[in-house]
């Protein structure tokens, strides 16, 4: 599961944009939560672009925008058979840049948040995007794909967002490729070394938009696998 994350305007994030040919910057945003506008990279007309989208996918066939169903994450294992996600999987894939994402563990009777972040770099999270409506009424929305936790990650949560390595990002974005042929990219893996750091529980409030305060050294670190 991935229900909160941060994206920081730093050399790592800018390097991701440069790698994908995007001449823009991402403004730093902390504690991004479902239904908020988030920065997304997609490809249209053979050009990658950076666009804000609603983080909660709205299927194009929905009668109205709805939050009754949890559409901010999409399970990799069921993408191909999902009524909401199988269509976007084919040709509407995207990347969500993330400097860290947040998970929780229940410890001593309370939910303790942890920031999962690269030791060096930025996450390129695999996602899908969709358009609901047309013209001025159109809403662009996205979802983050999750998979079973890679070895070691289950210490913090049994699932994780799919993190794309640098050599597969362009392929994931290419809409000329049917996404059903890209399912092996969604297997559990860690393309970079990461650390899991305890942070102040004030982040539990989605309205808190300041940088997370660390509460000590990393709980653990994991090497790329």
């Amino acid at each position: 599961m991935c229900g909160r994350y941060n994206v920081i305007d730093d050399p790592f994030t800018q390097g991701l944009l440069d790698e994908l040919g995007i001449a823009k910057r991402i403004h730093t945003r902390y504690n991004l939560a479902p239904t908020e506008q988030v920065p997304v990279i997609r490809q249209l007309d053979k050009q990658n672009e950076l666009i804000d989208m609603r983080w909660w996918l709205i299927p194009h066939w929905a009668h109205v925008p709805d939050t009754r169903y949890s559409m901010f994450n999409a399970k990799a294992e069921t993408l191909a058979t999902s009524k909401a996600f199988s269509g976007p999987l084919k040709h509407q894939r995207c990347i969500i840049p993330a400097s860290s994402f947040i998970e929780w563990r229940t410890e001593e009777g309370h939910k303790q948040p942890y920031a999962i972040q690269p030791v060096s770099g930025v996450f390129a999270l695999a996602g899908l995007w969709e358009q609901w409506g047309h013209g001025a009424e159109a809403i662009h929305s996205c979802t983050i794909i999750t998979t079973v936790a890679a070895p070691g990650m289950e210490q913090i949560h049994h699932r994780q967002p799919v993190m794309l390595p640098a050599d597969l990002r362009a392929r994931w974005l290419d809409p000329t490729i049917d996404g059903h042929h890209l399912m092996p990219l969604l297997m559990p893996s860690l393309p970079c070394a990461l650390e899991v750091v305890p942070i102040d529980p004030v982040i539990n409030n989605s309205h808190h938009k300041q940088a997370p305060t660390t509460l000590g050294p990393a709980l653990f670190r994991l090497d790329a696998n």
Side-chain angles (χ1 to χ4, degrees), residues 54-131:
R54 181 183 190 263
W55 181 22
W56 193 299
L57 189 137
I58 307 169
H60 70 88
W61 41 259
H63 295 298
V64 294
D66 198 344
T67 57
R68 286 181 298 170
Y69 308 105
S70 295
M71 305 289 280
F72 59 93
N73 283 167
K75 285 188 174 183
E77 302 92 319
T78 57
L79 286 183
T81 57
S82 166
K83 180 181 178 182
F85 301 135
S86 61
L89 172 64
K90 289 182 180 179
H91 307 295
Q92 293 174 193
R93 299 178 301 276
C94 61
I95 286 174
I96 294 92
S99 303
S100 62
F101 61 94
I102 301 166
E103 292 292 359
W104 289 261
R105 294 200 316 182
T106 299
E107 299 175 357
E108 299 180 356
H110 76 280
K111 291 177 65 177
Q112 173 58 51
Y114 289 88
I116 296 91
Q117 57 198 33
V119 172
S120 177
V122 62
F123 294 130
L125 304 183
L128 306 174
W129 68 271
E130 181 63 286
Q131 177 177 318

Side-chain angles (χ1 to χ4, degrees), residues 156-189:
I156 193 70
H157 200 277
H158 66 283
R159 297 192 67 80
Q160 66 172 63
V162 173
M163 310 165 195
L164 295 169
D167 61 337
L168 296 178
R169 294 166 187 169
R171 185 168 174 79
W172 178 255
L173 288 174
D174 186 348
T176 67
I177 300 172
D178 187 325
H180 291 84
H181 301 310
L182 301 178
M183 296 302 289
L185 277 60
L186 307 180
M187 298 296 291
S189 67

